[in-house]
Amino acid sequence: MQFPRPFRATGTALALAGLLLAGCSSSQGPSGADTEAFDAPHRATAAVNRVLEPLPSAVPGKLRPYYEQKLVWKSCDTPEFQCATMKAPLDYDAPGSGKDVTLEVSRKRATGPGKRLGALLVNPGGPGSSAIEYMRYAAVTFPAPVRARYDIAAVDPRGVGRSEPVRCLTGREMDAFTAADTTPDDRGEKTALVRAYKEFAQGCEEKSSRLLPHVGTVESARDMDILRALLGDGKLTYVGKSYGTFLGATYAGLFPGRVGRLVLDGAMDPTLSAREISRTQGGGFEEAFTAFAEDCTAREDCPLGDSVEEAGKQLDDLLRGLDAEPLPAGGGRRLGEALGTTGVLSAMYAESWWGQLRAALKQADAGNGSGLLALSDAYYDRAPDGEYGNLMYANAAVNCLDLPPAAQGPKEVETAVGPFEKTSPRFGRYFAWASLMCAYWPVEPTGEPRRIEAKGAAPIVVVGTTRDPATPYRWAVSLADQLDSGRLLTYDGDGHTAYAQGDDCVDTAVNRYLLEGDVWDGEHTCD
């Protein structure tokens, strides 16, 4: 599971290709030198020299029909939201072959007053979260001055949501997959976990073979450029959260001359390997749990005791107990260690979810696993009827195409467990085994770690939160440094992403950039 996690109505995310996707403010655990040496074979040692090269500034002739198509808007769901569809080549190396992908587009027009500034595209991350669903959230929650001047718009990336979604498993099969033991204790459990990953990959190949080779981030960035042109904008204005920062940075690298005002919030570092991402994420969630435990144990009703050390011990005991004997969780379902761990990690994305986690832990202490199961179901996009959205399927498809796998098989994972646990004593084993996901993917990766410089682009704002559990702060520092025109905005706080999350300092700085183009020299900090 790669956590940057799925978007919810209360926040944003990334999610599953090693698979949690993001991390901590420090990539080193108690033994930094050991983990650095461990990562060396998987580090993109040449990534500092490999750079995402821009595409030609002129639109190639074979792509012109896509750039010249007309969007036919119609009301959807409610009158204030408009929807349309657009075509893009399934394979950008073979445009005009007759093989296209149909993408869903939506927008809400600027409300005024003030002069309209164009379209503001948004993407919440995942990969796999619906940009259209997030757009509808952003269209009522982004700061009013921004909504007044911009149409808020989005396209579901190829393979996601309403844009020919990747499909893999039935609801019952996905239930079995999410419950698979991701901290195997013996050969039989390891074999069962490998089988679960293979069956997931086989299901995706059987149901989505046409799409799987063509859902990478580069393709989605090129789709966004077509949409920019169809919306009538000479340059792209964009707010990307979590994985959406990688999508936005990739756009800037490919089309630096078409960069307008880009906000990359909860940034990913494109130079990292899948193994580095997975291990670093474990440390981020470890740090986030410590922050949760500090808050919880200061309360009289904390179900984890009255000290951070005791809270960690009680959580460890709970998870070991779930491994030995899953708890009843209602509806004939049971909560095992894997689902319980995912439920805990899910609540680390936002401080506003900590209360729900406290209640769920209290229920679990009383022998009822339903609260933690509800948190896990929300992470996995599972509906009450047992059906799943396509979030996790698209997440795996994009992640496994964008980077070579973090591990080739169980033996590599067994070697990885120690360094992972040094970075994250509590969650490292879980993250190490989750990093096996892409080892059995039916399509070879087309991406690789590399720098994104976007030389010549207008200023790009990169937002990093110091205690972000999913996209570590150091990733934002690195991306801002790579980008030729990067401007770092630091939020000293907790949670995943910062803009439009209630901090006046962050919102004021980003609003001035989006509305006036004002940026700062060096770094700007909000606390």
Side-chain angles (χ1 to χ4, degrees):
M1 338 249 128
Q2 231 160 342
F3 276 74
R5 53 153 293 110
F7 158 73
R8 296 196 212 174
T10 51
T12 59
L14 281 171
L16 169 117
L19 295 180
L20 282 179
L21 216 200
C24 57
S25 58
S26 170
S27 72
Q28 293 187 359
S31 178
D34 287 349
T35 53
E36 290 295 316
F38 164 74
D39 279 334
H42 284 261
R43 181 176 300 111
T45 52
V48 291
N49 298 317
R50 280 198 299 268
V51 178
L52 179 62
E53 297 294 339
L55 292 170
S57 57
V59 176
K62 289 187 176 180
L63 288 179
R64 285 178 189 162
Y66 298 100
Y67 279 81
E68 295 170 357
Q69 63 189 297
K70 302 297 182 184
L71 295 177
V72 179
W73 295 102
K74 60 182 180 181
S75 294
C76 50
D77 298 337
T78 56
E80 63 265 32
F81 291 105
Q82 297 178 314
C83 293
T85 59
M86 58 175 273
K87 296 285 188 181
L90 179 66
D91 183 351
Y92 273 94
D93 289 334
S97 65
K99 296 180 180 180
D100 293 337
V101 60
T102 300
L103 307 177
E104 184 85 5
V105 179
S106 188
R107 71 180 178 185
K108 184 177 185 294
R109 302 306 295 267
T111 58
K115 181 181 178 181
R116 179 182 171 278
L117 296 175
L120 170 60
L121 265 66
V122 296
N123 184 286
S129 296
S130 169
I132 289 176
E133 294 303 315
Y134 181 67
M135 179 277 296
R136 296 185 179 194
Y137 169 76
V140 296
T141 61
F142 270 23
V146 171
R147 291 184 282 120
R149 306 284 299 280
Y150 283 101
D151 297 346
I152 308 298
V155 54
D156 271 353
R158 50 179 63 203
V160 173
R162 307 181 188 197
S163 294
E164 297 193 23
V166 171
R167 298 293 183 191
C168 300
L169 302 178
T170 66
R172 183 171 294 182
E173 289 169 340
M174 190 63 177
D175 276 348
F177 175 78
T178 60
D181 189 343
T182 45
T183 56
D185 301 312
D186 55 39
R187 180 178 296 180
E189 291 183 351
K190 292 172 186 177
T191 299
L193 181 60
V194 167
R195 183 168 59 249
Y197 287 139
K198 288 181 176 180
E199 289 174 352
F200 186 102
Q202 181 181 352
C204 296
E205 183 177 29
E206 290 175 353
K207 296 183 178 180
S208 303
S209 59
R210 173 180 178 270
L211 279 172
L212 290 187
H214 305 293
V215 293
T217 298
V218 167
E219 286 94 338
S220 290
R222 298 186 72 171
D223 296 341
M224 283 205 307
D225 194 57
I226 294 175
L227 178 58
R228 170 204 57 77
L230 301 183
L231 292 172
D233 291 338
K235 296 190 175 183
L236 179 73
T237 303
Y238 174 83
V239 172
K241 302 258 186 168
S242 202
Y243 160 81
T245 67
F246 181 48
L247 178 59
T250 299
Y251 179 91
L254 295 173
F255 306 105
R258 297 174 196 163
V259 169
R261 297 169 187 174
L262 266 60
V263 179
L264 309 179
D265 182 11
M268 294 184 64
D269 181 351
T271 69
L272 297 181
S273 69
R275 178 175 288 187
E276 290 175 291
I277 289 170
S278 294
R279 183 182 58 77
T280 306
Q281 284 181 326
F285 283 91
E286 187 84 27
E287 184 175 357
F289 176 76
T290 298
F292 165 76
E294 289 173 347
D295 177 82
C296 182
T297 55
R299 301 169 183 268
E300 291 184 1
D301 63 343
C302 179
L304 295 178
D306 56 11
S307 72
V308 172
E309 182 179 1
E310 185 177 356
K313 181 179 182 302
Q314 290 201 26
L315 180 65
D316 293 345
D317 290 345
L318 170 65
L319 295 177
R320 277 194 296 268
L322 293 175
D323 190 28
E325 186 175 353
L327 289 177
R333 301 176 69 200
R334 299 184 71 81
L335 179 81
E337 182 186 15
L339 292 170
T341 303
T342 300
V344 171
L345 294 173
S346 175
M348 295 299 101
Y349 281 90
E351 190 173 350
S352 60
W353 302 339
W354 290 0
Q356 186 176 348
L357 177 58
R358 288 195 305 272
L361 291 170
K362 189 174 295 186
Q363 284 182 312
D365 188 53
N368 178 356
S370 61
L372 284 175
L373 186 61
L375 284 166
S376 179
D377 283 351
Y379 177 80
Y380 284 120
D381 199 19
R382 184 188 191 275
D385 64 2
E387 293 303 311
Y388 288 77
N390 101 296
L391 170 65
M392 289 301 174
Y393 310 138
N395 179 266
V398 175
N399 280 323
C400 294
L401 202 60
D402 276 351
L403 288 174
Q408 297 290 343
K411 289 185 178 179
E412 279 196 28
V413 175
E414 289 167 357
T415 302
V417 168
F420 269 65
E421 288 186 328
K422 287 181 178 179
T423 300
S424 174
R426 182 154 292 106
F427 305 119
R429 186 175 182 83
Y430 177 91
F431 275 80
W433 281 100
S435 71
L436 190 58
M437 178 72 164
C438 293
Y440 309 106
W441 202 245
V443 179
E444 290 295 317
T446 56
E448 62 181 355
R450 52 192 166 187
R451 291 175 58 82
I452 297 180
E453 297 179 350
K455 289 184 177 180
I460 298 170
V461 168
V462 179
V463 185
T465 298
T466 56
R467 292 179 296 280
D468 188 325
T471 48
Y473 174 68
R474 64 177 295 181
W475 292 359
V477 174
S478 178
L479 180 59
D481 182 65
Q482 291 170 52
L483 290 167
D484 189 52
S485 59
R487 300 290 192 276
L488 180 63
L489 172 59
T490 297
Y491 171 54
D492 186 3
D494 297 291
H496 183 41
T497 76
Y499 178 58
Q501 298 292 309
D503 186 84
D504 289 341
C505 176
V506 171
D507 288 357
T508 297
V510 173
N511 290 349
R512 287 184 61 185
Y513 168 67
L514 289 174
L515 296 172
E516 309 296 337
D518 290 347
V519 290
W520 46 90
D521 292 327
E523 180 184 345
H524 183 60
T525 300
C526 293
D527 51 25

